[in-house]
């Protein structure tokens, strides 16, 4: 590809992060969450690299289909379950496990004609109020599940935490207590933890855990970085300098002329922009690495280009490497400068970019 922008995926880092997850929760099975094209890293690539995971969690049937077409035989869990009755035929054919979170799905399961009973995960809403059955409905749900010929008797229970990434938010304990109350006396496998909980709430590392972001080497916690947590970044978004200017004090840079040179200085142009998934809301001062040295974004990001203050790299030349996030530049930090979260930046890398795998 003639554009020098690319995404480098470090497969060793991915494997390392899974091992690290397993060491944090040695008694738990891992449902590796690979929805949204594995957080932008490439669905099949990630599934093949994480072959030691016990299951994969995906958002939709198309993702599950892609994995099965790539001969992945690991259990796959459809995180939102079926949306329509016809979905159950595909779920049956692809041998998927499903989350069941509403009565509409139970109706569909009761009426379906499928080849064998499904493994289901019953989702309980303990306080996030996104998906799941409210506590007062659970007894009725369990009764229907027990009497449904299309559901395996070994159902599992799950809940999802709204505030696990914050230290000491009281909602977390409230949710955990409600879940415990529901599970009391039921001899079934359970799952609670996303990445933040795997790291900060060891009591949530029950039979199954559901890490996503941390597998990609990024911290899920507010105000912490992956390296402090023993994780290695998997994705590096990089490009090159395609132009360098010596500008005079007071000259503006970029659309809207929002930024002006505080002194005579070199400004570089990088061949990547919001059309590649770099956040347009990144502010002047957002760090970038030029030849491994920290420099700063100046002016507005455009579709295919960024402008960089090169005072820290006055000898930089056209063709020099620029890292926008990843190796030696945490995406957590870039996200903060763009008023967003690392999840959004990773998912947003554009598929037009060249992806390079590093073994
Ligand atoms: C996305 C998701 C996860 C993973 O969350 P991370 O914060 O990326 O670890 C876990 N469980 C469910 C239900 C999810 O939708």
């Amino acid at each position: 590809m003639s554009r020098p922008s690319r995404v480098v995926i470090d497969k060793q880092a991915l494997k390392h992060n899974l091992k690290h997850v397993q060491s944090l929760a040695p008694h738990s099975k891992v449902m590796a969450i690979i929805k949204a094209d594995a957080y932008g890293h490439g669905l099949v690539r990630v599934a093949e690299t994480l072959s030691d995971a016990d299951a994969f969690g995906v958002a939709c049937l198309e993702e599950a289909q892609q994995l099965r077409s790539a001969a992945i035989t690991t259990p796959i869990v459809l995180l939102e379950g079926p949306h329509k009755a016809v979905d159950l035929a595909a779920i049956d054919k692809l041998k998927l496990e499903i989350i069941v979170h509403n009565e509409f799905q139970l109706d569909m399961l009761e009426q379906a004609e499928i080849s064998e009973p499904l493994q289901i995960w019953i989702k309980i809403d303990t306080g996030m109020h996104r998906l799941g059955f409210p506590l007062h409905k659970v007894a009725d749900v369990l009764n229907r599940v027990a009497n449904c010929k299309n559901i395996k008797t070994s159902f599992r229970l799950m809940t999802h935490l709204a505030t696990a990434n914050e230290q000491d938010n009281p909602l977390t304990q409230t949710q955990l207590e409600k879940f415990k109350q529901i599970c009391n006396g039921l001899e079934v496998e359970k799952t609670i933890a996303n990445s933040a909980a795997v790291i900060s709430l060891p009591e949530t590392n029950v039979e199954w855990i559901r890490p996503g972001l941390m597998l990609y080497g990024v911290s899920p916690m507010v105000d912490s970085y992956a390296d402090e947590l023993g994780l290695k970044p998997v994705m590096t978004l990089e490009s090159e300098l395609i132009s360098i200017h010596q500008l005079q004090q007071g000259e503006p840079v970029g659309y809207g002329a929002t930024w002006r040179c505080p002194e005579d200085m070199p400004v570089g142009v990088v061949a990547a922009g919001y059309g590649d998934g770099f956040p347009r809301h990144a502010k002047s001062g957002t760090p970038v690495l030029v030849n491994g040295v920290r420099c700063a974004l100046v002016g507005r990001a455009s579709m295919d280009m960024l402008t960089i203050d090169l005072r820290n790299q006055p000898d930089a030349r056209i063709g020099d490497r620029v890292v926008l996030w990843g190796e030696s530049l945490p995406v957590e930090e870039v996200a903060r400068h763009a008023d967003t979260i690392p999840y959004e930046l990773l998912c947003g890398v554009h598929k037009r970019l060249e992806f390079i795998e590093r073994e």
Side-chain angles (χ1 to χ4, degrees):
M1 195 176 266
S2 72
R3 278 186 91 234
S5 309
R6 54 200 165 250
V7 179
V8 180
I9 301 293
D10 182 343
K11 294 209 231 171
Q12 282 311 320
L14 196 53
K15 286 188 180 152
H16 163 88
N17 296 333
L18 176 59
K19 282 217 174 73
H20 190 64
V21 166
Q22 289 166 327
S23 74
L24 290 173
H27 306 297
S28 304
K29 284 179 272 191
V30 177
M31 184 197 301
I33 303 298
I34 57 173
K35 64 195 181 198
D37 200 27
Y39 294 44
H41 293 66
L43 184 73
V44 170
R45 168 187 300 124
V46 167
E48 285 174 348
T49 310
L50 296 182
S51 54
D52 286 343
D54 301 289
F56 292 120
V58 299
C60 58
L61 266 176
E62 289 71 17
E63 290 176 335
Q65 173 86 62
Q66 233 181 305
L67 293 174
R68 289 292 186 241
S69 302
I72 299 217
T73 54
T74 309
I76 298 173
V77 183
L78 208 49
L79 290 173
E80 292 161 24
H83 300 304
K84 300 193 183 74
V86 292
D87 294 349
L88 283 168
I91 287 165
D92 184 33
K93 183 159 154 263
L94 297 170
K95 303 286 167 232
L96 307 182
E97 303 185 3
I98 55 174
I99 304 279
V100 173
H101 58 83
N102 66 27
E103 284 159 331
F104 178 66
Q105 293 175 325
L106 279 177
D107 296 342
M108 291 191 296
L109 279 162
E110 284 166 350
Q111 285 150 28
E113 291 297 332
I114 51 177
S115 69
E116 58 180 323
L118 295 174
Q119 175 66 58
I120 73 161
W121 301 67
I122 303 172
K123 189 162 189 174
I124 314 294
D125 178 15
T126 53
M128 179 157 176
H129 300 133
R130 194 177 58 178
L131 295 184
F133 293 99
L135 266 57
H136 69 271
K137 293 253 170 94
V138 173
D140 178 52
V141 170
L142 295 183
N143 192 32
R144 287 179 69 179
V145 165
N147 290 301
C148 179
K149 65 176 189 326
N150 290 324
I151 298 176
K152 276 192 190 167
T153 50
S154 59
F155 66 86
R156 296 173 183 153
L157 287 175
M158 75 174 280
T159 195
H160 194 53
L161 300 174
T163 56
N165 63 332
E166 300 169 28
Q167 298 289 349
D168 304 324
N169 189 313
L171 179 59
T172 303
Q173 285 310 319
T174 306
Q175 287 198 264
L176 292 179
E177 275 155 34
K178 287 188 175 168
F179 192 60
K180 205 186 255 174
Q181 192 185 318
I182 288 297
C183 296
N184 198 10
L186 291 171
E187 292 291 316
V188 297
E189 294 187 354
K190 299 168 285 297
T191 175
I192 307 168
N194 57 3
S195 296
V198 168
I199 291 164
S200 65
L201 298 163
E203 72 266 36
T204 64
N205 296 337
V206 294
E207 288 85 355
W208 287 85
I209 55 174
R210 307 188 309 273
L213 192 68
M214 70 187 300
L215 292 172
Y216 308 101
V218 178
S219 170
M221 307 304 292
V222 178
D223 293 330
S224 88
Y225 290 107
D227 59 348
E228 303 161 356
L229 302 171
L231 301 167
K232 296 184 182 168
V234 176
M235 177 196 290
T236 295
L237 176 60
E238 61 178 40
S239 186
E240 290 175 8
L241 288 174
I242 57 165
S243 186
I244 296 173
H245 309 291
Q246 292 295 330
L247 299 181
Q248 307 291 307
Q249 180 179 16
E251 288 192 293
V253 176
Y255 281 119
T258 55
W259 192 87
R260 286 176 188 272
C261 297
E263 59 181 326
D264 295 358
M265 59 182 279
V267 169
V269 181
V270 181
Y274 63 77
D276 301 298
F278 189 87
R280 203 186 79 89
H281 294 290
K283 298 184 194 74
S284 291
T286 301
V288 298
L289 300 181
V290 179
N291 298 320
V293 176
R294 273 184 179 245
C295 296
L297 177 78
V298 291
R300 284 188 188 150
S302 23
M303 189 181 293
D304 298 299
M305 286 177 271
L306 304 172
T307 36
I308 308 294
D309 174 349
L310 286 179
R311 282 177 291 179
N312 287 347
Q313 266 291 281
D315 299 327
R317 291 160 168 249
I318 288 176
D320 282 358
R321 179 169 181 249
V322 179
V323 169
L324 301 174
W325 65 65
E327 193 193 331
S328 307
L329 180 60
V331 68
E332 297 93 310
E333 198 179 342
V334 178
R336 222 162 282 152
H337 279 89
D339 294 327
T340 184
I341 53 174
Y343 297 82
E344 190 181 31
L345 297 186
L346 297 178
C347 292
V349 292
H350 208 280
K351 298 300 163 239
R352 76 172 178 175
L353 289 166
E354 181 184 12
F355 278 66
I356 296 168
E357 296 179 7
R358 202 186 295 146
E359 291 303 322

